[in-house]
Amino acid sequence: MSCRDKRRIEDDTNCVADILRQIVDAQDDIVDDDCDIGCEQSIQDLRGDTTAPNSLDTVPVLLYCECKPFRGFGARNDQQRTVLDSFFFRVNSIDDNNCATLEILRDPSDTHTGYPDPTKQKTANLRATGICITVDLECFCHVTCLPAINALS
């Protein structure tokens, strides 16, 4: 099903949702092809399939809606209710209706907001912010995975 096709076919699948479910499963496992970089490689690295056991806990994702990078917004629970934005997320959960809870990932040293595109945002030290948003995965047509990282500690 394409991004623009609003019809739902009974046996149709959502490839973005399927990949994000795999990421959630892999991330949950570690808490208690031929590509050097990509979703499959990042999932394998997270699970430790390709390396010795590690402290990786997150596959950062970049999502696209109508072929444009999706940027999420959320507010910190501080006195100023500081609003942060990011193109990069940790998938925390996905329900049976393909609604996902995404946690905003940011480099703590990056104080800039409003980047015009994801290539401008700092990604060297992405960390979980504790700010979560809920999205409908039916709205996305593309997912890009960054290499697995340790974002929770």
Side-chain angles (χ1 to χ4, degrees):
M1 179 159 96
S2 73
C3 295
R4 298 172 204 265
D5 185 1
K6 301 301 179 198
R7 293 175 292 141
R8 182 81 178 150
I9 299 170
E10 190 65 34
D11 61 348
D12 197 16
T13 60
N14 182 315
C15 64
V16 173
D18 292 343
I19 288 290
L20 297 182
R21 284 184 203 288
Q22 289 178 36
I23 291 169
V24 169
D25 289 345
Q27 290 172 169
D28 288 346
D29 286 349
I30 58 151
V31 169
D32 174 346
D33 312 49
D34 299 321
C35 295
D36 291 333
I37 299 170
C39 292
E40 294 299 323
Q41 183 63 47
S42 295
I43 292 167
Q44 289 175 6
D45 290 346
L46 184 70
R47 288 190 167 147
D49 294 348
T50 58
T51 60
N54 53 47
S55 61
L56 303 176
D57 56 34
T58 300
V59 173
V61 295
L62 172 60
L63 298 164
Y64 294 80
C65 184
E66 296 183 4
C67 299
K68 294 179 185 169
F70 171 74
R71 182 171 50 181
F73 296 85
R76 288 200 183 278
N77 193 16
D78 58 13
Q79 274 191 321
Q80 295 79 27
R81 299 294 190 250
T82 306
V83 174
L84 295 179
D85 64 332
S86 182
F87 289 101
F88 303 98
F89 305 94
R90 181 180 198 278
V91 185
N92 286 354
S93 65
I94 302 172
D95 70 16
D96 291 338
N97 295 317
N98 285 338
C99 289
T101 300
L102 305 177
E103 185 169 0
I104 292 174
L105 297 175
R106 297 249 331 166
D107 184 321
S109 69
D110 190 358
T111 58
H112 184 76
T113 60
Y115 288 112
D117 67 72
T119 64
K120 307 297 184 203
Q121 187 175 339
K122 291 183 182 180
T123 58
N125 190 29
L126 289 175
R127 294 291 179 256
T129 61
I131 300 170
C132 293
I133 62 174
T134 302
V135 299
D136 180 351
L137 295 178
E138 300 295 327
C139 297
F140 299 105
C141 56
H142 176 95
V143 59
T144 298
C145 300
L146 279 65
I149 62 171
N150 181 349
L152 299 179
S153 58

